[in-house]
Amino acid sequence: MSETTKFLLAESQIPTVWVNVLPSLPEPLDLPLNPQTRTPLGPQDLAPIFPMELIQQEFSPQAEIDIPGEVLDVYRLWRPAPLYRARRLEKALDTPAHIYYKYEGTSPAGSHKPNTAVAQAYYNKRAGIRRLSTETGAGQWGSALALACQMFGMECTVYMVRVSYDQKPYRRMMMHTWGAKVYASPSHHTHAGRAVQAAAPDSPGSLGIAISEAVEDAATHPDTNYSLGSVLNHVLLHQTVIGQEAKLQMGMAGEEPDVVIGCFGGGSNFGGLALPYVLDRLKGKGPRIVAVEPAACPSLTKGAFVYDFGDTAKLTPLLKMYTLGHDFVPPGIHAGGLRYHGASPLMSHLRKLGYVDAIAYTQVPVFDAALQFARTEGILPAPESSHAIRAAMDEALAAREEGRPRTILFCLSGHGHFDLSAYENYLTGKLQDYEYPGQDIEKALAAIQPVTA
Amino acid sequence: MSETTKFLLAESQIPTVWVNVLPSLPEPLDLPLNPQTRTPLGPQDLAPIFPMELIQQEFSPQAEIDIPGEVLDVYRLWRPAPLYRARRLEKALDTPAHIYYKYEGTSPAGSHKPNTAVAQAYYNKRAGIRRLSTETGAGQWGSALALACQMFGMECTVYMVRVSYDQKPYRRMMMHTWGAKVYASPSHHTHAGRAVQAAAPDSPGSLGIAISEAVEDAATHPDTNYSLGSVLNHVLLHQTVIGQEAKLQMGMAGEEPDVVIGCFGGGSNFGGLALPYVLDRLKGKGPRIVAVEPAACPSLTKGAFVYDFGDTAKLTPLLKMYTLGHDFVPPGIHAGGLRYHGASPLMSHLRKLGYVDAIAYTQVPVFDAALQFARTEGILPAPESSHAIRAAMDEALAAREEGRPRTILFCLSGHGHFDLSAYENYLTGKLQDYEYPGQDIEKALAAIQPVTA
């Protein structure tokens, strides 16, 4: 075995634009709605918490948007990211399939999240904003934004779900190292947080509460804006550097993928890899595109395609998306980054139109795949990313059964250095395999109130 | 700022040889001595625990040794490693110096250690060995060997110092994930371990005890060999891929370093970067070469250049090296990988001959540097590697004072993802700054018994 393992681009090949599928959609996206008036949002509705350049990107009709030089300068700290051919995994699976993966874990924060955090910090800085607030669960997004704010000399306040704040101290320490202030949520720093604590002094917190705190913080401080790590169009736009690089690298490998796979929480790493391929699909060619979600939180595979809130407290705009209902609380699976009740409206739309497929796995087979990957390819994958590995391996095993090659490309969105206790649980047989919480889903879906624009 | 930040080699530019300085030395190395007979070791003395190909490398007169294809195939999982120009750090320091760093933290284990672990596993496998045993402190080396054994289908047994086993579970879990057996040392699995436990039931363990256990395990099982992560010539030989790549990359940058810097524990990352430059020095040109050690364990700067044992229990051969005495127990600084009483005989020899300089820092200024690096360059450095950052920053500050440029190259040997509690201690003012333990050093040095070959 001496064939190429990694496909490495030169620094000059980092993409200089983000690609935007909005103008190429066969049917336009349904617009977000103002939560009070239930009428379509205008840019001014978002101005209290987002800078105008990001709001424009959210609705942009331009097919390409230039990446500012200052953002590229930070991307250069880790981009271009490598594309690997998983030769050792292929051999272990005895498959005729070729498996490629785009690895985003080489960023300082260890995932794809800085691709958008850096852009968001830049545009906010340029708009005169001094501080960004955000929420984080296990800490992937919070640490990415802490890094990005540090790069542009901004302050960063992170509301971290209390149970993670207490149980997962390493990501919190990482945010401190990059200069962020981190509060356990519910906190005493916001009305929303104090209200929750008054009602439930021992509240472990939730992403919904933390979002409410971060949004309130931004809305009540003129020098502060809010920043979101997934779901919205401009976030997925920034992530398209992943897919653009992967296309160049697949070209170096002399192959076209038959199937493109990504794990799916809010949709940002999946969209980042998939959207440049979606543009091909919209022209009638291109690969199958498969989103992989946890069976414990199956928005794309079991949810309803309706208007719903992005948070539990109903502070956010109403978004047309696949959702399990804003009251849905998924079980505590280790892939914390995939525990979101909703889904990117853009990727939901593409799923509805048939350009994107979706499948779901429980976590034990996902960890089976993670372990085999770690023991063949070396890299310890994040539990989130391991959903994509499971699907890629199943594609490769299907190719073996059929006795026909196929070319598989997936996004390895991050490393699992802060998830080793999950591996230990798996190795010692303590990992619980949650079934589809069918009744919970039905109940949560029933609670969604019908909204039409 | 849009100049190049990273200098990236193609996969085809991974070195295909290891470079060996032994035949170029102006005076030969003093040979290791048999601990019983005190006569120079022959290859057969090492055969019970090392395969013959590694023993031959230990004493090789060849200037270059081919890297086997199977080893290169594993190197390809992360090599070539990137060389960075630290433009953001330069700007923060307002220095005319150019600072470059070779980053070895992209390996799956997060440090340079797999460069030799993979080679050692390969040669042992080829010699028919089924299992490797080793010791580890905080776990950097143990995790590298666990990975390497997994890549060649070998078993791996790691004796991990008990206090680390209990307090630093993440590296232990990483070893489990890669399939290794990990025992807290002192263990019940060896005579040495049982003897310590009989005398001191609550022993927290030490690297010296763990070495004794691992060596005994290998010596008493014909299918098992022992593996060491630093100090010996063949280990440093394998690490020369670091310096060879760095030279190519400095060529891409169009610069020659004025000074080459590495942190120093046993000497493996330092030797890996420095030895290709030592070859230039031996020809009368080339940069200054500076080893940076912790003031809490200053073997090169405060030790004696004498024959001493590599372990506390006096089981290893006697090595001519800078040593603080095999009884020296350094304070519990966070840079656990630099807490070794001795030093590579090869690097000691080069230091004695004047080809290598050495300096020492206490840990607070080292963490000052680590934090500034993390906040400018993004990457969270390991506490060990941060010693090199401190020295590089001081070179850059000296250049600013002099108003003259200089070109600085250092090895960033690993990331600090498993050292975040040390950062948190630093940030909360809890980090203790150990002074030179002058009396301890004098006492330990006095205990060394003079040995002559």
Side-chain angles (χ1 to χ4, degrees):
Chain A
M1 183 161 61
S2 65
E3 304 95 341
T4 309
T5 300
K6 287 192 305 302
F7 299 89
L8 303 170
L9 300 172
E11 201 173 79
S12 58
Q13 291 174 291
I14 298 173
T16 56
V17 298
W18 294 302
V19 296
N20 181 19
V21 303
L22 293 182
S24 306
L25 294 175
E27 299 173 24
L29 276 187
D30 290 310
L31 290 170
L33 304 181
N34 182 304
Q36 274 84 45
T37 65
R38 313 243 156 161
T39 57
L41 277 188
Q44 69 289 351
D45 289 314
L46 296 170
I49 58 169
F50 292 123
M52 198 46 69
E53 286 180 285
L54 289 179
I55 296 170
Q56 285 165 351
Q57 289 178 6
E58 188 66 22
F59 303 102
S60 175
Q62 291 181 275
E64 294 185 346
I65 292 170
D66 286 340
I67 305 177
E70 291 87 340
V71 172
L72 284 172
D73 281 338
V74 182
Y75 279 179
R76 282 191 185 92
L77 294 177
W78 73 93
R79 305 209 71 84
L83 180 91
Y84 287 79
R85 169 105 180 256
R87 293 187 183 275
R88 287 173 184 272
L89 179 60
E90 290 171 16
K91 196 175 166 195
L93 297 175
D94 189 24
T95 176
H98 293 185
I99 307 174
Y100 293 86
Y101 58 97
K102 178 72 174 168
Y103 184 40
E104 290 288 320
T106 59
S107 81
S111 78
H112 66 294
K113 292 290 186 190
N115 294 331
T116 185
V118 168
Q120 292 188 47
Y122 168 76
Y123 286 113
N124 276 289
K125 174 80 173 185
R126 200 156 81 168
I129 293 298
R130 193 182 60 78
R131 181 168 70 96
L132 290 179
S133 70
T134 198
E135 73 288 337
T136 201
Q140 288 270 12
W141 167 244
S143 55
L145 193 67
L147 168 70
C149 285
Q150 183 61 240
M151 292 291 138
F152 291 103
M154 302 176 76
E155 292 183 21
C156 184
T157 303
V158 182
Y159 294 87
M160 186 174 189
V161 175
R162 183 176 292 279
V163 62
S164 294
Y165 184 94
D166 291 336
Q167 291 178 1
K168 299 195 171 179
Y170 269 38
R171 283 268 172 204
R172 162 166 54 88
M173 294 174 187
M174 196 176 206
M175 292 183 256
H176 287 161
T177 300
W178 283 324
K181 279 213 175 94
V182 188
Y183 298 128
S185 169
S187 78
H188 286 284
H189 298 272
T190 65
H191 290 285
R194 288 189 295 269
V196 172
Q197 289 196 71
D202 295 330
S203 168
S206 74
L207 212 48
I209 297 164
I211 292 176
S212 303
E213 290 205 89
V215 169
E216 179 188 323
D217 186 338
T220 55
H221 293 89
D223 64 351
T224 300
N225 267 347
Y226 171 69
S227 190
L228 189 67
S230 192
V231 178
L232 299 180
N233 297 342
H234 69 271
V235 179
L236 272 63
L237 174 79
H238 301 151
Q239 294 293 357
T240 60
V241 292
I242 301 173
Q244 291 181 76
E245 285 183 7
K247 284 190 119 183
L248 285 178
Q249 290 163 311
M250 290 302 296
M252 291 169 72
E255 299 211 58
E256 287 286 338
D258 297 305
V259 58
V260 168
I261 298 168
C263 68
F264 196 96
S268 81
N269 95 85
F270 176 70
L273 178 63
L275 286 170
Y277 287 101
V278 165
L279 285 170
D280 295 340
R281 287 293 303 271
L282 293 171
K283 292 172 192 154
K285 53 186 182 172
R288 277 188 297 131
I289 299 173
V290 181
V292 190
E293 49 183 23
C297 190
S299 52
L300 290 181
T301 51
K302 299 276 178 179
F305 186 58
V306 295
Y307 272 106
D308 193 13
F309 292 98
D311 68 330
T312 315
K314 307 187 193 181
L315 292 178
T316 71
L318 285 155
L319 302 172
K320 182 78 173 285
M321 59 184 177
Y322 281 97
T323 176
L324 298 164
H326 55 266
D327 288 330
F328 181 73
V329 179
I333 56 170
H334 286 289
L338 306 184
R339 293 177 70 245
Y340 186 64
H341 69 273
S344 149
L346 174 56
M347 300 318 293
S348 294
H349 186 69
L350 289 164
R351 163 107 170 102
K352 186 71 179 176
L353 294 177
Y355 293 101
V356 165
D357 299 331
I359 55 175
Y361 288 103
T362 58
Q363 67 181 351
V364 168
V366 165
F367 273 88
D368 291 341
L371 198 80
Q372 187 160 15
F373 187 84
R375 291 185 172 183
T376 50
E377 295 294 308
I379 298 169
L380 273 166
E384 291 84 355
S385 319
S386 301
H387 287 72
I389 298 174
R390 176 73 271 167
M393 284 173 59
D394 284 354
E395 289 277 347
L397 293 171
R400 182 176 74 185
E401 293 223 344
E402 294 169 18
R404 292 174 54 183
R406 73 179 76 173
T407 301
I408 302 160
L409 168 63
F410 73 90
C411 184
L412 187 68
S413 57
H415 63 62
H417 296 175
F418 302 107
D419 302 288
L420 278 160
S421 55
Y423 279 90
E424 192 78 355
N425 280 343
Y426 168 79
L427 289 167
T428 53
K430 291 176 193 153
L431 198 70
Q432 284 189 290
D433 211 2
Y434 292 99
E435 295 298 312
Y436 289 86
Q439 288 182 322
D440 291 355
I441 291 174
E442 279 172 33
K443 193 174 154 195
L445 288 176
I448 303 172
Q449 291 165 348
V451 176
T452 46
Chain B
M1 183 160 62
S2 64
E3 304 95 341
T4 309
T5 301
K6 288 192 305 302
F7 299 89
L8 303 170
L9 300 173
E11 201 173 82
S12 59
Q13 292 175 290
I14 297 174
T16 56
V17 298
W18 294 302
V19 297
N20 181 20
V21 303
L22 293 181
S24 306
L25 294 174
E27 300 173 24
L29 276 187
D30 290 310
L31 289 171
L33 304 181
N34 182 305
Q36 273 83 46
T37 65
R38 313 244 157 160
T39 56
L41 278 187
Q44 70 290 351
D45 290 314
L46 296 170
I49 57 168
F50 291 123
M52 198 45 68
E53 284 179 286
L54 289 178
I55 296 170
Q56 284 166 350
Q57 289 179 5
E58 188 66 23
F59 303 102
S60 175
Q62 290 180 275
E64 294 185 345
I65 292 170
D66 285 341
I67 304 177
E70 291 88 341
V71 172
L72 284 172
D73 280 338
V74 182
Y75 279 178
R76 282 191 186 92
L77 293 177
W78 73 93
R79 304 209 72 84
L83 180 91
Y84 287 79
R85 169 106 179 256
R87 292 186 182 275
R88 288 174 182 271
L89 179 61
E90 290 172 15
K91 196 175 166 194
L93 297 175
D94 189 24
T95 176
H98 293 183
I99 307 174
Y100 293 87
Y101 58 96
K102 178 72 174 169
Y103 184 39
E104 290 288 320
T106 58
S107 80
S111 79
H112 65 294
K113 292 289 186 191
N115 294 331
T116 184
V118 168
Q120 292 188 46
Y122 167 76
Y123 286 114
N124 276 289
K125 175 80 173 183
R126 199 157 81 168
I129 292 297
R130 193 182 60 78
R131 182 169 70 98
L132 289 178
S133 70
T134 197
E135 73 288 337
T136 201
Q140 289 270 11
W141 167 245
S143 55
L145 194 67
L147 169 70
C149 285
Q150 183 62 239
M151 292 291 138
F152 290 104
M154 301 176 76
E155 292 183 21
C156 183
T157 304
V158 182
Y159 294 88
M160 186 174 190
V161 175
R162 182 175 291 278
V163 62
S164 294
Y165 183 95
D166 291 337
Q167 292 178 1
K168 299 194 171 181
Y170 269 39
R171 282 269 172 203
R172 161 165 55 88
M173 295 174 187
M174 196 174 205
M175 292 183 256
H176 287 161
T177 300
W178 283 323
K181 280 214 175 92
V182 187
Y183 298 128
S185 169
S187 78
H188 287 286
H189 297 272
T190 65
H191 290 286
R194 288 188 295 268
V196 172
Q197 289 196 74
D202 296 329
S203 169
S206 74
L207 212 49
I209 296 164
I211 292 177
S212 302
E213 291 205 89
V215 169
E216 179 188 322
D217 187 337
T220 54
H221 294 89
D223 64 352
T224 300
N225 266 348
Y226 171 70
S227 189
L228 189 67
S230 191
V231 178
L232 298 180
N233 297 342
H234 69 271
V235 178
L236 272 63
L237 175 79
H238 301 152
Q239 294 291 358
T240 60
V241 291
I242 301 173
Q244 291 182 74
E245 286 183 6
K247 285 190 119 183
L248 285 178
Q249 290 164 310
M250 290 302 296
M252 290 168 73
E255 299 211 58
E256 286 287 338
D258 296 306
V259 58
V260 168
I261 298 169
C263 67
F264 196 96
S268 80
N269 93 86
F270 177 71
L273 178 63
L275 286 170
Y277 287 103
V278 165
L279 285 171
D280 295 339
R281 288 293 303 270
L282 293 171
K283 291 171 194 156
K285 52 187 182 171
R288 278 189 296 130
I289 299 173
V290 181
V292 190
E293 49 183 22
C297 190
S299 52
L300 290 181
T301 51
K302 299 276 179 180
F305 185 58
V306 295
Y307 272 106
D308 193 13
F309 292 98
D311 68 331
T312 316
K314 306 187 195 183
L315 292 177
T316 71
L318 285 156
L319 301 173
K320 181 79 172 285
M321 59 183 177
Y322 281 96
T323 176
L324 298 165
H326 56 266
D327 288 330
F328 182 73
V329 179
I333 56 170
H334 286 289
L338 306 184
R339 293 176 71 244
Y340 185 64
H341 70 273
S344 147
L346 174 57
M347 300 318 294
S348 294
H349 186 69
L350 289 165
R351 163 107 172 102
K352 185 71 180 177
L353 294 177
Y355 292 102
V356 165
D357 298 332
I359 55 175
Y361 289 104
T362 58
Q363 67 181 352
V364 169
V366 165
F367 273 88
D368 291 342
L371 198 80
Q372 188 159 15
F373 187 85
R375 290 185 173 183
T376 51
E377 295 294 308
I379 297 169
L380 273 166
E384 291 84 354
S385 319
S386 300
H387 287 72
I389 298 173
R390 175 75 269 167
M393 282 173 60
D394 284 354
E395 289 277 347
L397 293 170
R400 182 176 75 186
E401 293 224 343
E402 293 169 17
R404 293 174 54 183
R406 74 179 76 173
T407 302
I408 301 160
L409 168 63
F410 74 89
C411 185
L412 187 67
S413 56
H415 63 63
H417 295 174
F418 302 108
D419 302 288
L420 278 160
S421 55
Y423 279 90
E424 192 78 356
N425 280 344
Y426 169 78
L427 288 167
T428 53
K430 291 178 193 151
L431 198 70
Q432 283 189 289
D433 211 1
Y434 292 100
E435 295 298 312
Y436 289 86
Q439 288 183 323
D440 290 355
I441 290 173
E442 279 172 35
K443 192 173 152 194
L445 288 175
I448 303 173
Q449 290 165 348
V451 176
T452 45

